[in-house]
Amino acid sequence: SNTILKLEDLILQKQGQEKMDYSPRPVYPLTSMMMYFSYIIAGNTTGNLPFVFRLDDSVDLDRLRESFRKLMNVHPALKAIIKPTEQKYYAVFRDDAREIEIPVHQWTEAEVEQRMQALLVPFRYREDDNLVHVALAQTEAHKYMFFDVAHVIGDGITMNILMEDLKKIYDGEEVPKERYSFYEYILDLSLIHI
């Protein structure tokens, strides 16, 4: 593949050179794929990775909400925002201290499907538009979890990793923060043109 050859060339060129400075910065450039999602399909649910789960009755929704908060600290890209800069081009804004609201709703079982469908909204990549949507719900019969990640920062494998980490955190296991994250990936891709 052409991409693999470009990566190999880059690695060979960079061997022996100083390592990339991965120190956190407030703004990162978009990758080519991110540009596609931000400029072309913004406002379309094609860019969503939504999941709805009916949970076991034993799940503590407050504990699950706290587990989501911890998950977002382990995977800080979940707190990122993609929006236009003052110069009107899109960029990734990093704010690891930012907290994302995770509501716990009280609904009736009859309204769950309609309410869950209403939670599925397109990512628009504007001011304060999170790259993750999370909501929890309790009805008279069941508990539910809605979890949606912008495709611009994830895929099916990403969702598997996030769900595995969420379960570990909920179960009280220590999950270390990513060593090579979305942000380092962006910086590495900025060195080559794929």
Side-chain angles (χ1 to χ4, degrees), residues 21-41:
D21 173 17
Y22 290 134
S23 60
R25 44 205 73 168
V27 181
Y28 292 78
L30 296 184
T31 66
S32 297
M33 182 59 77
M34 295 166 89
M35 286 180 194
Y36 173 73
F37 280 98
S38 301
Y39 288 98
I40 307 300
I41 67 166

Side-chain angles (χ1 to χ4, degrees), residues 11-188:
I11 290 168
L12 292 173
Q13 290 172 13
K14 297 297 177 184
Q15 284 180 341
Q17 291 184 4
E18 197 172 309
K19 284 189 168 186
M20 167 66 84
D21 173 17
Y22 290 134
S23 60
R25 44 205 73 168
V27 181
Y28 292 78
L30 296 184
T31 66
S32 297
M33 182 59 77
M34 295 166 89
M35 286 180 194
Y36 173 73
F37 280 98
S38 301
Y39 288 98
I40 307 300
I41 67 166
N44 182 320
T45 56
T46 302
N48 293 55
L49 296 169
F51 289 84
V52 174
F53 298 94
R54 188 171 78 190
L55 305 171
D56 188 84
D57 289 339
S58 66
V59 173
D60 179 324
L61 293 181
D62 290 328
R63 185 167 143 202
L64 182 57
R65 177 171 44 190
E66 185 57 31
S67 298
F68 265 111
R69 288 188 178 119
K70 290 178 180 177
L71 179 73
M72 291 179 195
N73 289 327
V74 169
H75 301 283
L78 296 173
K79 295 182 177 187
I81 292 178
I82 295 175
K83 63 182 181 181
T85 64
E86 290 178 7
Q87 294 78 25
K88 306 296 183 219
Y89 64 85
Y90 283 90
V92 179
F93 289 77
R94 181 177 186 163
D95 182 358
D96 292 356
R98 193 167 84 85
E99 292 292 327
I100 293 176
E101 182 183 346
I102 302 169
V104 178
H105 301 285
Q106 296 294 321
W107 294 334
T108 65
E109 193 64 30
E111 65 185 340
V112 166
E113 185 175 345
Q114 177 188 1
R115 296 277 193 149
M116 288 293 178
Q117 287 178 354
L119 291 173
L120 180 58
V121 295
F123 294 98
R124 299 195 185 279
Y125 310 109
R126 299 283 184 255
E127 187 75 34
D128 298 325
D129 185 12
N130 297 324
L131 297 180
V132 60
H133 302 145
V134 179
L136 307 173
Q138 170 87 53
T139 72
E140 69 279 4
H142 300 290
K143 297 174 183 177
Y144 295 90
M145 177 179 82
F146 175 82
F147 187 27
D148 185 15
V149 173
H151 209 327
V152 73
I153 62 165
D155 57 16
I157 300 298
T158 304
M159 294 305 290
N160 287 342
I161 292 167
L162 293 174
M163 292 305 299
E164 288 172 7
D165 286 352
L166 180 65
K167 182 181 182 326
K168 288 176 185 174
I169 292 167
Y170 183 87
D171 289 342
E173 293 181 42
E174 197 66 35
V175 177
K177 188 172 183 171
E178 295 175 320
R179 289 182 294 158
Y180 184 85
S181 76
F182 170 75
Y183 298 112
E184 289 80 21
Y185 174 73
I186 290 172
L187 293 174
D188 284 343

